[in-house]
Amino acid sequence: VEPPTAAAALFYAAKSMSAKVGFAPGIRIGTFLPMREQSGALSGASWLSAIIGIAAMILAFWVCRCFLTRRPPFGWVILPEYADDFAITGRSRETVTKCGDYRLPDVVVPVNSNALMCAGRVYRWALVFERLNHRRPEAQFGIQGEEFELPWRLVTTTRCARSRDQQGIWYPRPGGSMEIKERDIVHLELDFRPHFGCLYMAVNDGHFEVVFDDIPTQSPVMAVVLLGGDGSSVRVRAASRGASSDDSGTPEDWQVAVQASGRHPRQP
């Protein structure tokens, strides 16, 4: 059912219900005030009709919102050996939360997507950093090869420094350090069509910048986040904007990516 149809059906159902019990529709759209009788007093029937009408509109709004809200492009999956370190929640497994500090203070643990991004397409997604541990605030995000193979392209939340494949070697952000804080939204776009893929990033309403322009396209890659501090939480959501005007990065592209990985969002 299309959203307008659902809303109309609910409205007319409420109107029909009012008529069946003998009440006249008592809501003027735009005022939300019950119609007064000629005597100027409000009858019990008018109040009940008003309540039914308002409830119908609230329910219609909720149904439309559910229909129009885009599902996350992918869900998170973890390795069995790290099952006790994370909690993955949400209908589409879109939120991952670190449970307890990781035993090594300078180590963050990877959690990857259930979708494989293959050459020839543009992929867009957004990460909402719901919470960051104040004692261990650093998290990392980016892309990695399947089964934790290369390439690795990572960005830190503390400075937006970047790392290419080599663990422990970080390069500063060309425009200067930038911290990603709680509730910030990071918009990401991977243009995986050229011989070397490009990863773009924008924080909140900021401009997109090129983070990496040297990603090999010979093998698929996956989105990844790395968390170490207790309670740090990241939610993936559908992208609301991209670095280019290209119409790729559609839900159909992500559906192909999920099918390529062979892992459904609801599976651990």
Side-chain angles (χ1 to χ4, degrees):
V1 180
E2 294 296 327
T5 306
L10 287 168
F11 176 78
Y12 285 114
K15 184 176 179 181
S16 174
M17 184 184 301
S18 298
K20 286 182 180 180
V21 296
F23 301 149
I27 290 294
R28 290 177 178 170
I29 303 301
T31 64
F32 295 97
L33 294 175
M35 296 173 60
R36 291 183 177 271
E37 298 177 347
Q38 292 183 353
S39 64
L42 286 174
S43 68
S46 296
W47 278 114
L48 185 56
S49 179
I51 293 171
I52 291 175
I54 292 173
M57 283 187 286
I58 293 173
L59 184 58
F61 173 79
W62 179 80
V63 170
C64 289
R65 185 175 183 273
C66 290
F67 271 100
L68 296 174
T69 301
R70 293 176 60 187
R71 293 185 61 184
F74 56 78
W76 300 112
V77 292
I78 54 176
L79 293 175
E81 52 264 39
Y82 295 129
D84 295 333
D85 288 296
F86 296 97
I88 296 181
T89 56
R91 183 178 179 184
S92 300
R93 300 177 58 83
E94 68 270 21
T95 302
V96 57
T97 303
K98 183 71 180 67
C99 301
D101 291 339
Y102 192 64
R103 56 185 176 275
L104 300 176
D106 297 327
V107 174
V108 287
V109 183
V111 179
N112 57 270
S113 71
N114 69 323
L116 283 176
M117 295 180 280
C118 301
R121 296 176 180 267
V122 175
Y123 300 90
R124 299 186 183 112
W125 68 102
L127 300 177
V128 183
F129 286 84
E130 303 278 15
R131 185 170 181 266
L132 292 171
N133 184 293
H134 297 296
R135 292 179 293 101
R136 299 177 62 173
E138 180 170 322
Q140 300 170 14
F141 60 92
I143 58 100
Q144 66 176 28
E146 188 177 8
E147 302 298 335
F148 302 97
E149 298 292 334
L150 299 180
W152 283 70
R153 298 291 186 274
L154 300 175
V155 182
T156 66
T157 56
T158 49
R159 296 182 297 123
C160 283
R162 297 98 195 267
S163 177
R164 292 176 171 85
D165 297 338
Q166 306 96 339
Q167 294 185 6
I169 301 179
W170 293 90
Y171 302 92
R173 177 174 177 265
S177 296
M178 178 174 62
E179 183 182 4
I180 296 172
K181 302 177 181 179
E182 285 187 359
R183 306 301 299 173
D184 279 348
I185 302 173
V186 178
H187 305 271
L188 295 161
E189 177 177 308
L190 175 63
D191 188 345
F192 221 29
R193 296 173 299 181
H195 182 64
F196 286 101
C198 293
L199 183 66
Y200 301 87
M201 178 187 81
V203 180
N204 298 324
D205 296 326
H207 297 292
F208 276 90
E209 58 185 82
V210 178
V211 187
F212 300 104
D213 59 3
D214 60 348
I215 305 172
T217 58
Q218 289 81 5
S219 57
V221 296
M222 313 176 81
V224 64
V225 295
L226 298 93
L227 306 172
D230 177 42
S232 294
S233 181
V234 180
R235 174 170 56 90
V236 61
R237 75 175 200 186
S240 58
R241 62 193 184 104
S244 63
S245 59
D246 192 281
D247 60 359
S248 298
T250 62
E252 289 74 19
D253 294 321
W254 280 110
Q255 184 62 32
V256 171
V258 172
Q259 291 173 350
S261 71
R263 287 179 283 188
H264 192 273
R266 296 177 187 271
Q267 293 179 347

